[in-house]
Amino acid sequence: MKHRFTKVAASVAIAAGLVFAAPAMAQAYTPTGPDTVTVTVTAPGPVPVTGFQPGASVTFTLVGEGVTGANLAAVKFAVSSTTVTKTADSSGVATATVVGTPPAGSSWTLAATGARASSEAGGGSGTLPSTGGDSESLLGIWVGGGALVLAGATVAVAATVRRNRQETNA
């Protein structure tokens, strides 16, 4: 029974750390860029996207709550993504077929990335893509880490006080 407080404090600290760290790790990636077209999907069926070069390879990425490999299907509350590659037809239309429907009150995002008919060869925006971490998404990790350090310090102080009391009573 003498280690009960320590076990409870450690368990609470680990649980709090996991609660704060999980959302930072669970963010699904939605492609962006000048050659990407994004469409909101609310119903199943084929989703044609126009404006690609004929014969271009187009990568479709479906992102949203409950998306699995069978959709482009469903795990409630899990935001994930899946991809599939299609070829644009002679008129520059690439079509992905979405199976299933988003959970009530939500929608899926379908991003189509490929060589656009309007894009210039060798062109570019002249800017570098955004890479690295977002400091705002680290807030939960910093709060969780601070809580763990505070819990550890509390346990250390409580152990020292208890040891001192036992020595003075003996």
Side-chain angles (χ1 to χ4, degrees):
M1 178 133 156
K2 68 180 183 175
H3 296 292
R4 181 180 170 133
F5 176 74
T6 306
K7 289 180 183 178
V8 169
S11 298
V12 169
I14 290 171
L18 291 174
V19 165
F20 287 114
M25 306 302 175
Q27 298 172 356
Y29 171 73
T30 303
T32 58
D35 290 338
T36 301
V37 177
T38 305
V39 179
T40 300
V41 178
T42 57
V47 181
V49 181
T50 61
F52 294 103
Q53 292 179 359
S57 181
V58 180
T59 302
F60 288 91
T61 305
L62 185 65
V63 178
E65 181 181 317
V67 171
T68 66
N71 287 104
L72 181 258
V75 179
K76 184 107 171 105
F77 303 118
V79 176
S80 58
S81 66
T82 188
T83 61
V84 66
T85 302
K86 301 286 185 171
T87 303
D89 64 12
S90 60
S91 61
V93 177
T95 304
T97 302
V98 177
V99 179
T101 57
S106 67
S107 63
W108 291 335
T109 302
L110 181 67
T113 305
R116 304 285 293 162
S118 61
S119 60
E120 300 172 12
S125 65
T127 61
L128 294 174
S130 175
T131 60
D134 179 11
S135 62
E136 291 179 10
S137 67
L138 295 177
L139 177 64
I141 293 173
W142 283 105
V143 170
L148 287 172
V149 169
L150 183 61
T154 303
V155 169
V157 168
T160 303
V161 168
R162 182 176 178 191
R163 207 174 301 123
N164 288 340
R165 285 185 184 166
Q166 286 178 345
E167 286 176 6
T168 57
N169 289 340

